[in-house]
Amino acid sequence: MEWMKAIEDAVTYIEAHITEDIDTEAVAKHVCISPFYFQKGFSMLCGYTVAEYIRCRRLALAGGELLAGHAKVIDLALKYGYDSPDSFAKAFTRFHGITPSMARKKGVTLKSFAPLKLTISLKGGYLMDYRIVKKESFTVLGVSRTFSYENAKQDVPAFWTEHYAQKRCRYAEGRFGVNIDSAMGNENFEYLIADLYDPAMDIPEGFVTKTVPAFTWAVFPCIGALPDALQDVSTRIFSEWLPALKEYEVAAGYCIEMYERPDKYPKGTADENYRTEIWIPVKRK
């Protein structure tokens, strides 16, 4: 219930400051949750990143004001946080499907985006397997890229597709997907497609090594075809397990996906018994 209250307070805060300079960090600070944890929890529970939610609310409100016929485009651009009428017009068109000037015409259709309303539903009551494991530091070799939280759901799978298309898997099969956000911030994170590093091996061009520190990890098995099995467990970690946890909290801005070799399964990663794991570093409260 504490997490539900935090989301509710966050939405109220966003609505009260919708025309001001607000971001995930400001909202997270208001509800007294770290930006890293809040960003993930909000996205899992609400289906939007905080930035997406704010942007959609602003564009919906701007559409209503244009339809009413009282506001200038340049004034709305400034009011809702855009640097210029052009950037506002582009965002408005992507959201509503029509330009701001067309929105003034009678009979046009605009998209609405109402504030989130939380309802209580009884979930859980079923088992979620995990184990607490201490692991020493280890080093991985892989390809690295920085992603925004806002677009990660689409961009990270595309990164994997690119990795195999360019045949970089001969150097790193992809036993690990390593998420690193050392600052535990709210905008970007580093992601590596990686294997364990063999010090006797030369580092190929375009590859990097990263040492993951020693942590106590909460390890969650994921059984089933990708990506659904992994995404389902990830959602449950941040929407159910962490909010209900009494003894532990997130220790650092790491999250590791561990993948078994696909050739061990008849249907590879699409096999109903395919096994992956999610590792979350934790510490006692």
Side-chain angles (χ1 to χ4, degrees):
M1 188 62 69
E2 291 181 2
W3 184 247
M4 294 282 284
K5 183 65 165 61
I7 295 292
E8 186 175 40
D9 288 349
V11 171
T12 301
Y13 178 82
I14 290 170
E15 292 302 313
H17 299 82
I18 195 67
T19 60
E20 300 174 20
D21 185 17
I22 54 173
D23 56 19
T24 303
E25 188 170 355
V27 181
K29 182 178 180 180
H30 177 75
V31 296
C32 301
I33 298 176
S34 76
F36 178 79
Y37 181 14
F38 180 72
Q39 172 82 284
K40 286 183 173 290
F42 188 97
S43 299
M44 294 295 183
L45 287 172
C46 303
Y48 301 92
T49 65
V50 178
E52 285 176 322
Y53 178 76
I54 293 172
R55 183 175 66 251
C56 289
R57 283 293 297 139
R58 285 173 171 171
L59 290 170
L61 290 170
E65 291 191 44
L66 279 174
L67 196 60
H70 303 307
K72 297 180 180 178
V73 171
I74 188 171
D75 292 336
L76 289 177
L78 295 174
K79 180 178 180 179
Y80 290 110
Y82 289 87
D83 295 332
S84 67
D86 285 344
S87 61
F88 170 72
K90 289 177 182 177
F92 188 95
T93 303
R94 283 195 300 268
F95 182 78
H96 288 286
I98 58 174
T99 64
S101 59
M102 292 176 63
R104 297 185 186 279
K105 297 180 180 180
K106 292 183 179 181
V108 299
T109 300
L110 294 176
K111 288 184 171 62
S112 65
F113 191 88
L116 285 169
K117 298 290 185 182
L118 299 186
T119 59
I120 299 175
S121 60
L122 297 177
K123 293 185 178 181
Y126 47 83
L127 296 176
M128 186 172 186
D129 294 335
Y130 72 95
R131 64 186 189 275
I132 301 295
V133 179
K134 288 186 177 181
K135 292 183 180 290
E136 296 300 320
S137 64
F138 61 96
T139 302
V140 296
L141 168 77
V143 286
S144 169
R145 190 168 295 176
T146 298
F147 296 99
S148 69
Y149 282 108
E150 186 171 350
N151 300 315
K153 193 172 183 179
Q154 299 78 36
D155 292 347
V156 172
F159 183 38
W160 280 89
T161 300
E162 175 190 309
H163 179 73
Y164 287 108
Q166 295 184 357
K167 301 189 184 304
R168 293 188 297 229
C169 51
R170 56 183 169 171
Y171 302 115
E173 282 186 300
R175 296 297 307 281
F176 298 99
V178 182
N179 300 254
I180 305 174
D181 183 355
S182 300
M184 296 182 74
N186 63 350
E187 294 183 359
N188 302 311
F189 65 98
E190 182 182 11
Y191 186 90
L192 290 89
I193 300 174
D195 286 354
L196 288 175
Y197 172 55
D198 179 358
M201 174 184 174
D202 292 332
I203 300 174
E205 185 178 353
F207 281 68
V208 298
T209 60
K210 291 282 182 177
T211 297
V212 179
F215 283 119
T216 296
W217 301 85
V219 178
F220 300 84
C222 312
I223 309 298
L226 295 182
D228 292 347
L230 199 70
Q231 292 175 353
D232 177 62
V233 172
S234 182
T235 297
R236 290 170 58 191
I237 289 171
F238 285 94
S239 64
E240 298 173 25
W241 187 79
L242 276 172
L245 204 60
K246 303 299 182 184
E247 298 86 4
Y248 292 94
E249 61 185 354
V250 175
Y254 285 82
C255 177
I256 294 181
E257 306 147 9
M258 191 284 293
Y259 299 90
E260 286 203 344
R261 292 178 62 95
D263 57 13
K264 293 173 59 177
Y265 299 86
K267 297 180 183 178
T269 59
D271 198 277
E272 62 183 9
N273 295 312
Y274 183 70
R275 182 183 178 90
T276 53
E277 290 180 346
I278 297 174
W279 303 356
I280 304 290
V282 293
K283 63 182 179 182
R284 289 194 176 275
K285 292 183 178 179

